[in-house]
Amino acid sequence: MAAYLQWRRFVFFDRETVKEPLGPDGAGGKCFTLPPGIAVCDSGRGSLVFGDILRGGGQIWFLPRSLQLSSFQAYKLRVTHLYQLKQHNILVSVGEDEEGINPLVKVWNLEKRDGGNPLCTRIFPAIPGNKPTVVSCLTVHENLNFMAIGFADGSVVLTKGDITRDRHSKTQILHEGSYPVTGLAFRQSGKTTHLFVVTTENIQSYMLSVKDYPHLELDTHGCGLRCSSLSDPSQDLHFVVAGNECVYLYQPDERGPCFAFEGQKLIVHWYRGYLIIVSKDRKTSPKSEFAGNEVQNSDKQVLNIYDLCNKFIAYSSIFDDIVDVLSEWGSLYVLTRDGKIHMLQEKDTQTKLEARKHMLFRKNLFEMAINLAKSHHLDSDGLSEIFRQYGDHLYTKGNHDGAIQQYIRTIGKLEPSYVIRKFLDAQRIHNLTAYLQMLHLHSLANADHTTLLLNCYTKLKDSSKLEEFIKTSESEVRFDVETAIKVLRQAGYYSHAVYLAEKHAHHEWYLKIQLEDIKNYQESLHYIGKLPFDQAESNMKRYGKILMHHVPKETTELLKILCTDYQPSGDNEGLGLLEGKKANSEEFIPVFANNSRELKAFLEHMTEVQADSPQGVYDTLLELRLQNWAHEQDEQIKEKLHSEALTLLKSGRFKTVFDKALVLCQMHNFKDGVLYLYEQGKLFQQIMHYHMQNEQYKKVIEVCELYGDQETCLWEQALGYFARKEEDCKEYITAVLKHIENKNLMPPLLVVQTLAHNSTATLSVIKDYLVNKLQKQSLQIEQDERRIQKYREETTRIRQEIEELKASPKIFQKTKCSICTSALELPSVHFLCGHSFHQHCFESYSETDSECPTCMPENRKVMDMIRAQEQKRDLHDQFQHQLKCANDGFSVVADYFGRGVFNKITLITDLPPGKGATTIEAGLQRELLLHAKRST
């Protein structure tokens, strides 16, 4: 039970008497006064509602915010009860239209009008059964489905259904008792509806959402009229009952807390988290069992506004004869018997705090200030400032543990450095740790805060807290992971750093700590094998050399997998997803520095399983095999290595890097490889020079015999080589000369000059060669002379024919047709070539009128040859090639002279005068040319 005298008093409301509005002429400003006889009132929907109980009155008055009072006649005699719904524009009233105990309930729809007055939608008598009795209280549920009426005889009538219509509702007696009903209240919680019923002697609750309406007696004492109210959700919808000694709070199934507020209670209301109680000022006033509102004396009345949550009195004031307390337009309105209305306006939160801040802070009532701020929904900035001042106060008093708790409540508003600077002392490190922990918990820590917190853990050697901090689930991580890893590594907490790096996929940090600090190479290699392809590839390039140095076998195996068909180890679900993705094996060759054996195994594996491996793989493998061959002492092993190197060379993988392979073979003096590459590169002269350097005469001759047809200069070089030898090389010179003679590769004079340098070569060496050469040349001369003579005679004959054609007439003596061989008959056709035809035969077989049908096929062949020669005039490359490759270059030149390649071309654009004669002469020359062709 709370002690009333211990509650502090504040003035959180401003009191003001409502005055009339100023008129257009500036008149007004007087106190606003209600009509006399007002005894019942309520508020809602933007108006204060009043009813008079004077005989012959029966008026219901509406007072809007503009203070323009209006009314209508609701009853003929008096109005006894009013209930204005807050969510609907519905007003329920109880009054009398005739003398006697005949109360009527009327339901008014204020949105609809009937002759200028609100529409009355329902009227029914308020009588429990057949016994007339006085209505004591009235309440209506906001959903319009329930209405309860309490009576002075202890009865409660419940109307269920649409209260605005007779047809859709049902009325029944819910409660019967011996004590007057003084208060009713509906409580809605979810889908459950309760009705609180309070009498002068007990309190009960009915569950209306269950059939048969079960009820429960909550207490055995009650209260007077208007001394009960239902709180808002901030107070858990408690039913407040104010007795003369205490104020009790009830839930539907139990009694809640109570407060010792002494004095005779007259009116109880609930307003925005405040409990409003109007009580008599004299504590010795006689108790009234009923009709607690019948105040006929002039005793002063006290209005107290209580904050039950924070346990203080927000306002207290004395009034004269209060009729009721209403709430509307965000203020409280106190109606007194003299017709005046007093407005109580709550101060804003900031003003209230400022007004009481000095007193609260001066008396160190920080907790009360905090509770006050929270109950009035002060913004977070204002609360944070109170927490800061509270923390500063505790810090000054030396209560560092309490101070840090207050500073923690400022997180998000107060700059962290303000707090951190206060607790940097080593003796207060545990307080600093607590603050930094909460800073991280709110996800407001930066990298520096993380560093500082981890340093606190390490200095305190609090491994359990450290593990708890770093082993939070991934969704709860509230710190910079990379910073944490760095700090833990620097402090020597390698296992914790590794845990963080692995959990949050900081692969580079994980491997760096494992390899550089822990030296756990095997685990590092296993970790890389679990990474996705791209990360595994990059980390093997970065750390491959270190791993190869310490675990060469396992590293080599991982590289084989990485460069062929990599799948992360343990990733069974992802099998096949990365199929075909493989690393470039050539990029990992530097990893094998000083590990030639593993490098060879790796390269051989790659060439076996991946024939299209990069060229660098084959180049490096060739170099390794040549090195091993060159340094091997065992003959059998050396022979095997020789075979392997030569096989690799013959694999066809070095065509694009021919020079590199050749240099490697030459560096290691791999003769068979050098000769093979010379042969593949068609470097026949180099092959012959190689044998010349080694004085392998037979090999020189073999090279000439093998490749002499492709490169004829080999025989000439061979002859010059043997000519320079001082020892007896007659046998080899003879063989070379024989081939030179057969192929006519060198002029005899050049042969003699070449052999003149050899002191051992005598004339007998070239005697046979010279004799044979001279005989062949003599024979050739004779053949040429005969051919010249023949051409001269033929030329003379053709010239004579030409002259005859020019000077003498042509006599056609043919007697038979050259086509049908029948005797010629006129008309006939004759040609200078000597053929004659019947005209009809000529027309049938001839394709043109200007050519002889018999000679035309042969003439066409000649013309085609001429056109072919003309087309080949510009084939200079072909001419050069034929000239280079021919045994007799002069014959090639003569052939091209005959084609007219070297003739000067003259273009004739206009025919000169005498066109006819020139054309005839050209035709004769052409016919003679064709005739000469046929003759040959």
Side-chain angles (χ1 to χ4, degrees):
M1 181 178 294
Y4 165 73
L5 295 177
Q6 295 179 354
W7 286 27
R8 299 187 179 275
R9 295 175 179 268
F10 300 99
V11 182
F12 286 167
F13 286 80
D14 293 324
R15 176 175 173 175
E16 182 182 353
T17 302
V18 177
K19 296 182 179 181
E20 295 180 356
L22 296 176
D25 56 354
K30 297 180 181 180
C31 291
F32 181 84
T33 304
L34 290 171
I38 299 297
V40 293
C41 50
D42 202 355
S43 62
R45 309 297 294 180
S47 295
L48 303 182
V49 186
F50 309 105
D52 59 45
I53 61 173
L54 295 177
R55 180 182 179 86
Q59 297 279 330
I60 293 180
W61 304 80
F62 295 95
L63 181 65
R65 196 166 192 175
S66 61
L67 302 183
Q68 300 297 322
L69 192 63
S70 62
S71 67
F72 72 96
Q73 187 73 37
Y75 295 90
K76 296 179 180 179
L77 293 181
R78 63 181 62 87
V79 180
T80 60
H81 296 81
L82 291 173
Y83 192 94
Q84 172 67 56
L85 277 78
K86 305 299 185 289
Q87 298 179 12
H88 303 276
N89 209 0
I90 301 294
L91 174 66
V92 180
S93 64
V94 178
E96 299 174 359
D97 281 342
E98 58 186 17
E99 293 293 342
I101 305 176
N102 296 304
L104 290 177
V105 178
K106 295 185 179 182
V107 180
W108 308 90
N109 188 337
L110 303 181
E111 293 181 348
K112 297 181 179 179
R113 314 301 291 181
D114 181 14
N117 297 329
L119 176 65
C120 182
T121 61
R122 183 181 182 186
I123 303 176
F124 64 93
I127 299 176
N130 297 319
K131 300 180 296 180
T133 182
V134 176
V135 175
S136 59
C137 53
L138 168 70
T139 187
V140 182
H141 199 291
E142 286 293 333
N143 62 12
L144 299 178
N145 287 326
F146 293 103
M147 179 169 60
I149 304 174
F151 296 89
D153 66 351
S155 302
V156 176
V157 173
L158 177 67
T159 300
K160 183 178 180 181
D162 189 352
I163 67 167
T164 63
R165 298 174 182 267
D166 289 323
R167 294 182 181 180
H168 299 89
S169 62
K170 179 181 179 181
T171 301
Q172 67 183 82
I173 298 176
L174 178 68
H175 172 80
E176 290 182 328
S178 303
Y179 305 105
V181 177
T182 58
L184 297 170
F186 286 108
R187 183 184 188 273
Q188 186 72 40
S189 178
K191 295 183 179 180
T192 304
T193 304
H194 288 87
L195 173 64
F196 290 101
V197 178
V198 58
T199 68
T200 57
E201 298 298 333
N202 59 33
I203 303 171
Q204 299 187 36
S205 70
Y206 286 82
M207 184 180 292
L208 304 183
S209 54
V210 178
K211 189 177 181 182
D212 298 332
Y213 307 140
H215 69 281
L216 176 67
E217 186 174 20
L218 299 177
D219 216 333
T220 57
H221 56 80
C223 66
L225 283 173
R226 300 195 297 174
C227 290
S228 63
S229 181
L230 189 70
S231 69
D232 57 25
S234 66
Q235 197 64 32
D236 298 329
L237 294 174
H238 280 99
F239 184 57
V240 182
V241 177
N244 289 337
E245 292 80 17
C246 296
V247 174
Y248 299 91
L249 276 64
Y250 296 91
Q251 289 285 0
D253 55 352
E254 63 179 353
R255 190 176 79 175
C258 65
F259 300 89
F261 301 149
E262 296 181 356
Q264 183 180 354
K265 313 300 187 302
L266 302 177
I267 300 174
V268 172
H269 275 289
W270 190 269
Y271 169 75
R272 290 188 177 182
Y274 292 112
L275 175 62
I276 303 168
I277 297 178
V278 178
S279 59
K280 282 189 176 183
D281 190 26
R282 292 187 304 168
K283 299 180 180 179
T284 60
S285 297
K287 176 181 178 183
S288 175
E289 293 182 358
F290 185 62
N293 61 328
E294 297 294 334
V295 181
Q296 301 297 330
N297 53 40
S298 61
D299 293 341
K300 298 292 185 180
Q301 297 173 356
V302 179
L303 183 145
N304 289 319
I305 302 178
Y306 299 94
D307 187 330
L308 300 183
C309 293
N310 299 310
K311 294 181 174 56
F312 65 85
I313 301 175
Y315 182 77
S316 180
S317 182
I318 297 176
F319 292 85
D320 292 329
D321 204 356
I322 298 176
V323 175
D324 208 342
V325 179
L326 306 175
S327 62
E328 192 65 27
W329 312 307
S331 301
L332 286 173
Y333 293 90
V334 181
L335 174 63
T336 56
R337 190 69 61 183
D338 57 6
K340 294 182 179 180
I341 302 176
H342 304 272
M343 181 178 68
L344 299 180
Q345 178 69 45
E346 185 180 10
K347 297 179 181 180
D348 63 88
T349 303
Q350 191 63 35
T351 302
K352 287 186 289 185
L353 289 177
E354 289 294 333
R356 296 303 174 187
K357 180 173 67 174
H358 298 294
M359 183 188 74
L360 292 174
F361 291 174
R362 185 174 64 251
K363 296 182 179 181
N364 301 325
L365 299 177
F366 291 98
E367 289 293 345
M368 180 173 289
I370 292 170
N371 294 333
L372 177 63
K374 286 183 176 179
S375 64
H376 289 80
H377 309 290
L378 183 65
D379 59 21
S380 56
D381 292 333
L383 276 172
S384 177
E385 178 62 21
I386 298 175
F387 294 144
R388 183 194 65 78
Q389 295 188 37
Y390 193 12
D392 291 345
H393 169 73
L394 295 175
Y395 183 85
T396 305
K397 296 295 184 180
N399 184 1
H400 299 126
D401 293 339
I404 203 66
Q405 293 303 318
Q406 298 306 317
Y407 288 137
I408 286 174
R409 300 169 78 176
T410 66
I411 289 176
K413 298 297 180 182
L414 183 62
E415 175 61 36
S417 60
Y418 177 86
V419 180
I420 292 173
R421 285 195 299 267
K422 291 179 177 288
F423 293 90
L424 287 177
D425 194 331
Q427 296 178 354
R428 301 167 189 167
I429 191 171
H430 63 281
N431 299 126
L432 179 60
T433 303
Y435 179 80
L436 292 172
Q437 283 177 339
M438 295 305 297
L439 197 62
H440 283 80
L441 189 62
H442 288 81
S443 301
L444 295 173
N446 57 29
D448 294 332
H449 298 148
T450 301
T451 302
L452 187 56
L453 177 59
L454 293 174
N455 284 329
C456 289
Y457 283 141
T458 55
K459 289 186 180 299
L460 291 172
K461 300 188 183 301
D462 193 346
S463 299
S464 60
K465 285 288 186 181
L466 179 59
E467 290 184 5
E468 181 183 352
F469 177 73
I470 67 174
K471 291 186 178 181
T472 54
S473 62
E474 185 174 354
S475 61
E476 297 177 354
V477 174
R478 297 180 174 89
F479 57 89
D480 185 79
V481 176
E482 186 171 359
T483 301
I485 294 173
K486 292 179 181 178
V487 175
L488 291 172
R489 184 190 184 197
Q490 185 177 3
Y493 285 79
Y494 300 128
S495 60
H496 297 78
V498 165
Y499 171 84
L500 271 182
E502 182 177 9
K503 180 179 179 180
H504 299 285
H506 286 260
H507 309 307
E508 182 178 354
W509 279 107
Y510 178 90
L511 294 172
K512 186 179 294 185
I513 296 171
Q514 287 279 26
L515 295 173
E516 298 178 6
D517 301 319
I518 305 178
K519 310 293 184 185
N520 194 342
Y521 305 105
Q522 193 72 41
E523 184 63 29
S524 300
L525 193 64
H526 178 68
Y527 182 82
I528 293 176
K530 296 188 296 183
L531 297 178
F533 172 79
D534 294 334
Q535 297 173 358
E537 180 186 23
S538 62
N539 281 291
M540 282 305 294
K541 290 178 181 178
R542 185 179 294 112
Y543 302 110
K545 290 184 179 180
I546 300 176
L547 294 170
M548 183 63 65
H549 179 71
H550 293 91
V551 281
K553 182 178 179 182
E554 293 82 355
T555 305
T556 303
E557 291 302 318
L558 179 58
L559 286 175
K560 289 180 181 179
I561 297 173
L562 189 63
C563 296
T564 50
D565 188 12
Y566 177 75
Q567 292 287 347
S569 60
D571 186 13
N572 296 326
E573 296 181 357
L575 290 177
L577 296 179
L578 299 176
E579 183 178 356
K581 198 168 186 180
K582 57 190 72 173
N584 186 348
S585 51
E586 183 179 3
E587 296 177 354
F588 292 99
I589 292 176
V591 171
F592 293 89
N594 302 322
N595 294 84
S596 57
R597 182 177 62 183
E598 285 74 17
L599 176 58
K600 182 180 178 183
F602 171 73
L603 297 176
E604 289 178 346
H605 172 79
M606 294 307 303
T607 56
E608 290 174 4
V609 301
Q610 189 176 326
D612 59 342
S613 294
Q615 185 61 44
V617 172
Y618 287 93
D619 296 344
T620 308
L621 181 58
L622 175 62
E623 185 176 2
L624 276 176
R625 288 184 175 180
L626 290 176
Q627 286 180 356
N628 295 339
W629 172 82
H631 295 90
E632 185 58 51
Q633 301 296 327
D634 190 314
E635 290 299 328
Q636 292 183 352
I637 299 177
K638 192 177 186 71
E639 182 63 28
K640 180 182 178 181
L641 294 173
H642 178 279
S643 176
E644 291 177 353
L646 195 58
T647 301
L648 183 60
L649 276 175
K650 293 181 179 181
S651 65
R653 297 292 308 183
F654 298 93
K655 294 180 180 180
T656 58
V657 289
F658 173 83
D659 295 339
K660 186 174 183 179
L662 182 60
V663 170
L664 289 174
C665 291
Q666 291 173 341
M667 286 173 57
H668 297 89
N669 197 24
F670 190 60
K671 297 180 181 179
D672 291 345
V674 171
L675 293 176
Y676 172 77
L677 291 173
Y678 281 160
E679 181 180 358
Q680 292 299 307
K682 296 184 179 181
L683 302 176
F684 307 128
Q685 296 186 38
Q686 281 79 353
I687 297 175
M688 190 173 68
H689 290 162
Y690 179 84
H691 292 307
M692 288 178 178
Q693 291 175 358
N694 294 279
E695 297 185 349
Q696 296 174 341
Y697 301 149
K698 291 183 179 181
K699 292 288 185 179
V700 173
I701 299 299
E702 290 177 3
V703 171
C704 292
E705 290 175 349
L706 287 173
Y707 311 116
D709 293 340
Q710 301 179 48
E711 198 164 347
T712 56
C713 63
L714 295 178
W715 290 105
E716 300 174 11
Q717 294 177 8
L719 181 63
Y721 169 73
F722 289 120
R724 290 191 297 273
K725 291 295 180 181
E726 296 299 329
E727 63 265 22
D728 188 6
C729 297
K730 182 178 179 180
E731 177 185 356
Y732 304 108
I733 294 175
T734 302
V736 174
L737 288 175
K738 182 177 179 182
H739 192 85
I740 290 175
E741 179 185 356
N742 294 336
K743 298 293 184 178
N744 193 23
L745 300 179
M746 296 176 65
L749 182 59
L750 184 58
V751 173
V752 173
Q753 291 177 350
T754 302
L755 292 176
H757 299 288
N758 193 325
S759 58
T760 61
T762 60
L763 187 59
S764 61
V765 175
I766 61 172
K767 177 182 177 182
D768 295 337
Y769 167 77
L770 293 175
V771 170
N772 292 334
K773 195 67 176 176
L774 291 174
Q775 288 177 351
K776 288 181 179 180
Q777 288 185 353
S778 298
L779 182 61
Q780 183 67 35
I781 290 172
E782 291 177 358
Q783 292 177 355
D784 292 342
E785 287 178 349
R786 288 196 298 272
R787 189 175 300 168
I788 291 170
Q789 183 62 34
K790 179 181 177 182
Y791 289 158
R792 284 177 178 174
E793 293 175 355
E794 185 69 20
T795 301
T796 303
R797 184 180 62 78
I798 291 175
R799 285 177 178 173
Q800 290 176 356
E801 290 183 3
I802 291 172
E803 289 298 326
E804 290 178 359
L805 288 173
K806 288 181 178 181
S808 303
K810 176 66 176 178
I811 300 174
F812 299 104
Q813 297 179 347
K814 286 281 186 177
T815 60
K816 294 182 178 181
C817 176
S818 298
I819 294 177
C820 64
T821 65
S822 299
L824 280 174
E825 296 178 356
L826 296 174
S828 59
V829 179
H830 303 277
F831 285 88
L832 292 177
C833 61
H835 295 107
S836 300
F837 307 93
H838 293 113
Q839 184 175 359
H840 64 273
C841 290
F842 174 76
E843 292 176 352
S844 300
Y845 288 94
S846 177
E847 294 181 3
T848 62
D849 295 339
S850 59
E851 290 190 63
C852 172
T854 303
C855 299
M856 186 172 62
E858 190 66 25
N859 292 343
R860 286 188 175 179
K861 290 181 181 180
V862 175
M863 294 304 296
D864 290 341
M865 292 173 63
I866 293 172
R867 282 193 295 269
Q869 289 179 356
E870 291 176 352
Q871 292 176 357
K872 292 181 179 180
R873 283 183 178 182
D874 297 330
L875 301 180
H876 304 297
D877 294 339
Q878 184 178 356
F879 169 71
Q880 293 291 341
H881 178 71
Q882 292 181 0
L883 185 64
K884 182 178 180 181
C885 298
N887 295 330
D888 186 3
F890 182 77
S891 62
V892 175
V893 175
D895 179 54
Y896 272 82
F897 261 110
R899 297 181 189 179
V901 173
F902 303 106
N903 292 348
K904 183 177 180 181
I905 300 176
T906 302
L907 296 178
I908 301 176
T909 57
D910 296 323
L911 291 176
K915 173 181 176 183
T918 305
T919 304
I920 294 174
E921 184 177 352
L924 290 174
Q925 291 179 353
R926 180 169 170 274
E927 291 294 336
L928 287 175
L929 178 60
L930 294 176
H931 177 72
K933 182 66 179 178
R934 286 196 300 274
S935 298
T936 57

